[in-house]
Amino acid sequence: MFSKRKMYGGVVLAVTFSISLGLSEVGAACVAEEESAKAGETGLVLHLSPTCTQAEREAHSLRGERIVDALGRGHSVDLVGVIVQGDVLFDRLTPQAISQSSTASDLTSQGKSARGQEERLVRAGLRIRDSVVQGAVRHRSVNRTLRFEGPVDFQGSRFKEGVDLSWSVFQEAVELSGAVFEKEAHFVQGQFIGPLACRETIFGPSTRFHRSAFQRSVDCTGALFDGMAEFLEVTGEQSVEFERSRFGLGTGFSGSHFKRRISFRDAIFSRETFFPFTIFEGEAVFAGAQFLGAADFSHAEFRQHDDLTQARFDYPPLFTQTKRLEPPQPDGFLQTKNGQYVLTFGLLVTAALLVAYAIKLK
């Protein structure tokens, strides 16, 4: 009897050990790449395979504080398919004196004075791709700038709480394509020195880029602005794309200045849209756009020919004191090549008839 119990216990122990080993192997297979962010190491790296279960992702979840701590030590953060718990608060970074070598054109002297003589630096790249951030992402300081010296990549990630990176300087590319912002996404007075990509991005109830400056291209093709979208007094130095974008609530571009091409081709504006005092220095494309609410272009200035006649307006748009170039007049038929042929043929026929008539008179 004792030997049977001993044998039975051994079997149970072996089965338990096998199950534990199997779970361990599954967990290891879920992690495609991992590296800690301890002092002296290169960065915080965690890539989870798309085949990971929800339970496995939760088991490998990271706290927002670890991300900020790694960045504070100058380490890069590279997360793929990860669950981030808690807030990512950049106020935890130690302020530093503004370096004279910082890009001189990225902030106005007025902005520097208003923000003080210190800034928070993120020297390495920040990549949180195809992940879920459960807490807020914020920099709440009212007197210090947040400067990202490396690229920022949030492609395909879902932000459950608000994102507020206002008064930030982005020296490299910012990638937001395919991301989902369930709550506010605020980049007020942001300085985008590198390109901004927000293709197919879903923005939530409030999106603000008020007074932001874009020194490189902006590509928001196919983006959805589900709530209020504010692009007031922004400056676009290079091309700006909102092709096939959808604007769910009120949309404002008042006082903005677009120096190169801007396209709203096939965009849909579901509610009121405001372009007062906006300057379109380059080509402005509105062909196929649908304005389902009121559209106000009062005091706007188009320095090249616009194609607003090819857009659909459910309500008559306002063009009070709007500066538009007169549409080019099409050439008359007789000034075309075919017209010249017809004219020549007509003259020849007339001459022949005159000659025949003169012969008949003789």
Side-chain angles (χ1 to χ4, degrees), residues 7-259:
M7 182 181 299
Y8 178 76
V11 171
V12 172
L13 182 62
V15 171
T16 304
F17 178 76
S18 299
I19 293 175
S20 301
L21 181 61
L23 290 175
S24 176
E25 291 175 349
V26 170
C30 173
V31 181
E33 185 176 357
E34 182 176 18
E35 188 169 346
S36 68
K38 294 180 181 179
E41 298 187 358
T42 57
L44 175 59
V45 179
L46 180 57
H47 294 183
L48 299 185
S49 169
T51 60
C52 293
T53 65
Q54 181 66 19
E56 289 172 330
R57 294 187 191 281
E58 291 176 353
H60 291 93
S61 64
L62 293 176
R63 298 291 303 175
E65 294 90 335
R66 286 193 63 190
I67 295 174
V68 178
D69 289 345
L71 294 172
R73 289 193 291 269
H75 297 151
S76 63
V77 172
D78 186 0
L79 308 178
V80 178
V82 176
I83 294 177
V84 178
Q85 297 179 342
D87 297 338
V88 181
L89 301 178
F90 290 95
D91 303 82
R92 293 168 52 90
L93 298 175
T94 303
Q96 301 181 30
I98 295 178
S99 172
Q100 296 298 325
S101 62
S102 297
T103 305
S105 61
D106 59 359
L107 288 174
T108 63
S109 58
Q110 180 181 359
K112 286 183 179 180
S113 175
R115 304 298 289 178
Q117 298 301 314
E118 292 183 325
E119 62 183 3
R120 290 185 170 91
L121 289 178
V122 177
R123 298 191 180 279
L126 172 59
R127 183 187 190 210
I128 305 177
R129 177 173 286 200
D130 299 324
S131 300
V132 177
V133 181
Q134 296 180 341
V137 179
R138 300 189 189 280
H139 178 243
R140 296 178 176 175
S141 177
V142 297
N143 56 7
R144 293 186 177 94
T145 298
L146 175 63
R147 181 183 296 272
F148 294 88
E149 294 187 344
V152 176
D153 184 353
F154 294 152
Q155 181 173 341
S157 290
R158 178 177 291 270
F159 296 87
K160 308 290 287 186
E161 297 295 332
V163 175
D164 190 347
L165 296 178
S166 298
W167 286 94
S168 294
V169 178
F170 301 92
Q171 295 188 188
E172 299 293 337
V174 177
E175 178 61 78
L176 305 178
S177 297
V180 177
F181 297 90
E182 294 190 6
K183 296 188 178 179
E184 71 271 14
H186 292 174
F187 298 88
V188 175
Q189 297 201 36
Q191 303 292 323
F192 294 84
I193 300 172
L196 168 64
C198 45
R199 297 179 297 273
E200 309 293 336
T201 304
I202 298 177
F203 293 94
S206 176
T207 305
R208 300 186 66 200
F209 284 89
H210 180 210
R211 285 191 171 182
S212 289
F214 305 95
Q215 294 189 18
R216 299 284 298 278
S217 63
V218 178
D219 186 358
C220 290
T221 301
L224 170 61
F225 298 89
D226 203 30
M228 299 287 292
E230 182 184 319
F231 290 87
L232 306 177
E233 300 180 71
V234 304
T235 301
E237 300 284 347
Q238 302 295 328
S239 63
V240 178
E241 295 287 338
F242 287 102
E243 186 171 329
R244 301 192 316 276
S245 293
R246 292 171 291 166
F247 299 87
L249 291 180
T251 306
F253 289 89
S254 303
S256 295
H257 188 176
F258 299 104
K259 299 183 179 181

